[in-house]
Amino acid sequence: MKSFSNSYKDAGVDVTAGYKAVELMKKHVAKTLTDGALGAIGGFGGLFELDVTGIKKPVLCSGTDGVGTKLKLAFLMDKHDTVGIDCVAMCVNDIICCGAKPLVFLDYIAVGKNYPEKVAQIVSGVADGCVQAGCSLVGGETAEMPGFYPVDEYDLAGFSVGVVDKEKILNPDSQKSSDVLIGIASSGVHSNGFSLVRKVFDVENTDLHKPVEELGGKGLGETLLTPTKIYVKSILALLSEVNVKSIAHITGGGFYENIPRSIPKNLNAQIDRNAIKVLPIFDYIAKVGNIPERDMFNTFNMGVGMTVCVDKNDVDKTLEILKSNGEDAYVIGYLTEGDNSVVIK
């Protein structure tokens, strides 16, 4: 006998909708499965066989995050197939900062009402993100929570685990004055600062589809929903050929919070403001919201989604590898003696 409860359905939870959602998402999950992924979706745990060939001392590295209030834009635009990419990106881009290769990903979707087709759209984005990151979507959870979330809203979070050889874990203490910081372009706002974005544009009362001249004729909603760029494959290619000293994922807190996390306490990051290729969306946010430039750099990525620190003698090779892997990478500054601060001028 299949699971079904009229009493539970009367309380707002339809278990059969959950089963349908699982069936609809299976094709998306299947495309993410890499060597090592065992079993099928629907079990109590996600299984992955760890291949430690060539790794002397395997260390697991994990990361978890959510999409945040960017989801409000997805609700307003009724577009749900890209926020999953954001969810994956926010986790795997953190893991790669340690030098670890992401292996598996799990998602958690909490909904006010389970619309199987919508859940499948969300998972399709998660699957796309996993493919971009080269990791397997080995499990997840969809929780129907009536009375807790509005029926047309949901929350989305994820968790990823990767592996790195202990001797290859990136060590910021290896950095020195004169080391160079290279910025890698972002795809947009990514998935940070959306509480401020929503306030600046009053998104609930704005035509998100209307073309905006400052955004090249694109609508504000389309621009803001641009998914977070996933840097895993290009960074792994770089790590295989260059002695990268540290990596910073530029998320909430912008330059001023994230770059210091990747450099020693006795060094500063000197950033050349004129070198930064600020994306039009950030100029537009600053203009409409009348936001000081320091606050912009302290909230958003400003067009630089990730920074890598290398010896000055490795700069040319680093740029060559990143560009050959499809990244827009360029020098944005260097390290000096200091007190773990960021100086932008």
Side-chain angles (χ1 to χ4, degrees):
M1 179 183 294
K2 291 187 176 181
S3 173
F4 178 77
S5 169
N6 278 318
S7 298
Y8 208 7
K9 186 173 183 180
D10 289 342
V13 178
D14 185 355
V15 293
T16 59
Y19 303 146
K20 182 178 180 182
V22 170
E23 285 302 312
L24 291 174
M25 68 178 70
K26 280 184 177 179
K27 64 180 180 181
H28 302 299
V29 175
K31 70 181 182 183
T32 76
L33 300 182
T34 60
D35 292 341
L38 305 177
I41 188 173
F44 287 101
L47 300 174
F48 192 90
E49 183 178 5
L50 185 62
D51 182 1
V52 294
T53 303
I55 302 178
K56 297 177 182 178
K57 292 185 176 181
V59 175
L60 297 180
C61 178
S62 56
T64 185
D65 209 335
V67 181
T69 63
K70 183 175 185 175
L71 291 175
K72 284 286 189 180
L73 273 297
F75 305 156
L76 293 167
M77 296 285 289
D78 193 23
K79 181 173 174 56
H80 311 283
D81 60 348
T82 61
V83 288
I85 300 175
D86 292 290
C87 189
V88 175
M90 297 307 295
C91 298
V92 298
N93 284 346
D94 278 355
I95 286 176
I96 198 67
C97 289
C98 297
K101 172 182 170 58
L103 299 175
V104 299
F105 189 85
L106 293 92
D107 60 14
Y108 174 79
I109 306 170
V111 301
K113 180 175 176 59
N114 190 335
Y115 298 104
E117 291 77 11
K118 181 185 289 187
V119 172
Q121 287 179 43
I122 298 168
V123 174
S124 74
V126 174
D128 288 342
C130 287
V131 170
Q132 291 179 34
C135 64
S136 297
L137 179 55
V138 296
E141 171 70 7
T142 302
E144 191 170 20
M145 301 169 66
F148 195 86
Y149 292 99
V151 294
D152 289 324
E153 296 191 3
Y154 55 86
D155 197 8
L156 174 62
F159 176 84
S160 186
V161 179
V163 65
V164 59
D165 198 325
K166 188 173 183 179
E167 65 182 25
K168 293 183 180 179
I169 297 174
L170 299 190
N171 180 14
D173 291 337
S174 66
Q175 295 167 102
K176 65 181 185 300
S177 179
S178 80
D179 282 346
V180 177
L181 290 170
I182 292 172
I184 309 177
S186 69
S187 55
V189 183
H190 284 183
S191 193
N192 304 102
F194 272 85
S195 292
L196 178 56
V197 167
R198 288 166 44 236
K199 178 183 177 183
V200 166
F201 295 118
D202 187 18
V203 294
E204 286 84 359
N205 299 300
T206 296
D207 182 355
L208 297 173
H209 299 278
K210 181 181 178 180
V212 178
E213 182 180 351
E214 290 91 337
L215 302 179
K218 287 186 176 182
L220 179 62
E222 177 188 359
T223 301
L224 292 174
L225 272 184
T226 301
T228 305
K229 189 168 182 56
I230 293 176
Y231 300 96
V232 170
K233 291 182 179 179
S234 55
I235 292 296
L236 287 175
L238 178 64
L239 291 172
S240 69
E241 296 191 50
V242 173
N243 177 29
V244 176
K245 298 190 176 185
S246 75
I247 302 174
H249 183 200
I250 311 302
T251 56
F255 281 54
Y256 288 105
E257 180 178 319
N258 291 288
I259 293 179
R261 296 167 62 188
S262 70
I263 61 178
K265 300 298 183 182
N266 65 323
L267 294 178
N268 280 356
Q270 301 284 339
I271 306 296
D272 179 1
R273 171 62 181 83
N274 293 327
I276 305 297
K277 299 178 182 178
V278 178
L279 296 176
I281 183 59
F282 297 112
D283 287 332
Y284 192 52
I285 292 171
K287 173 186 172 183
V288 175
N290 192 28
I291 301 174
E293 185 167 87
R294 193 193 187 286
D295 286 358
M296 291 294 296
F297 275 94
N298 210 147
T299 306
F300 302 108
N301 68 63
M302 298 300 285
V304 177
M306 187 160 279
T307 64
V308 297
C309 180
V310 297
D311 186 277
K312 61 183 179 181
N313 294 316
D314 289 327
V315 170
D316 289 343
K317 187 174 183 180
T318 298
L319 293 174
E320 179 185 346
I321 293 170
L322 290 173
K323 290 177 180 178
S324 68
N325 280 273
E327 305 291 358
D328 179 10
Y330 53 96
V331 173
I332 63 169
Y334 56 93
L335 302 186
T336 62
E337 298 296 329
D339 59 359
N340 197 236
S341 297
V342 171
V343 179
I344 302 176
K345 60 181 183 180

